[in-house]
Amino acid sequence: MGNNNLSFAEKIGQRLKQVRLNKGLSAVEVCKQLNIGTSSMSNYERGERMPSLEILIKISELYEMSIDELLGVGKYANDEDAWLTDVRFASAVKKKTLMNIWIILNKMEGENPEI
């Protein structure tokens, strides 16, 4: 499903939710860390309300990301740079899964060129 028809707030909301999930955090955990209500976070992630700059800074610090990275508005030279940035901020579980895939691909290299 494309997001071309979404408002700016909805796009930001989707990105905030995506990053939170990639970090393996629940909305409740994030709200406790940020000292905000769950309804506020829900409104942000649904794009019904834009977080203030203060909240964006707190979220970016919690997720250890720049605000550009958090919002997905940074400029990438190519898709590979964008993918590497996403991998960099993936949860530990996702990173481990990607590493296992990488190991399998390296083992398969040259064994069956049709794959």
Side-chain angles (χ1 to χ4, degrees):
M1 160 161 76
N3 63 2
N4 291 338
N5 295 323
L6 298 179
S7 71
F8 181 72
E10 289 170 324
K11 288 178 184 178
I12 297 303
Q14 283 186 350
R15 176 69 180 167
L16 290 174
K17 184 174 183 177
Q18 173 193 1
V19 172
R20 177 178 59 77
L21 294 174
N22 285 348
K23 292 285 185 180
L25 298 169
S26 73
V28 171
E29 291 173 297
V30 171
C31 291
K32 285 181 183 177
Q33 292 279 341
L34 300 176
N35 198 28
I36 63 172
T38 54
S39 62
S40 291
M41 181 59 89
S42 179
N43 286 333
Y44 300 150
E45 290 186 352
R46 286 195 316 264
E48 293 177 5
R49 189 169 141 209
M50 284 292 293
S52 67
L53 182 57
E54 179 184 0
I55 295 296
L56 284 174
I57 291 169
K58 287 180 178 182
I59 294 171
S60 72
E61 289 171 349
L62 177 64
Y63 295 168
E64 299 177 330
M65 306 172 82
S66 72
I67 291 177
D68 282 356
E69 291 167 324
L70 175 65
L71 300 180
V73 296
K75 302 292 182 202
Y76 301 106
N78 54 47
D79 288 341
E80 183 179 347
D81 289 345
W83 184 82
L84 290 172
T85 298
D86 284 345
V87 170
R88 178 175 168 217
F89 297 109
S91 68
V93 171
K94 188 177 273 186
K95 283 181 181 177
K96 183 173 175 97
T97 301
L98 290 169
M99 181 57 73
N100 288 334
I101 291 168
W102 180 256
I103 290 167
I104 291 167
L105 290 172
N106 281 329
K107 287 180 181 179
M108 290 173 48
E109 190 174 86
E111 290 180 17
N112 188 351
E114 296 174 11
I115 292 179

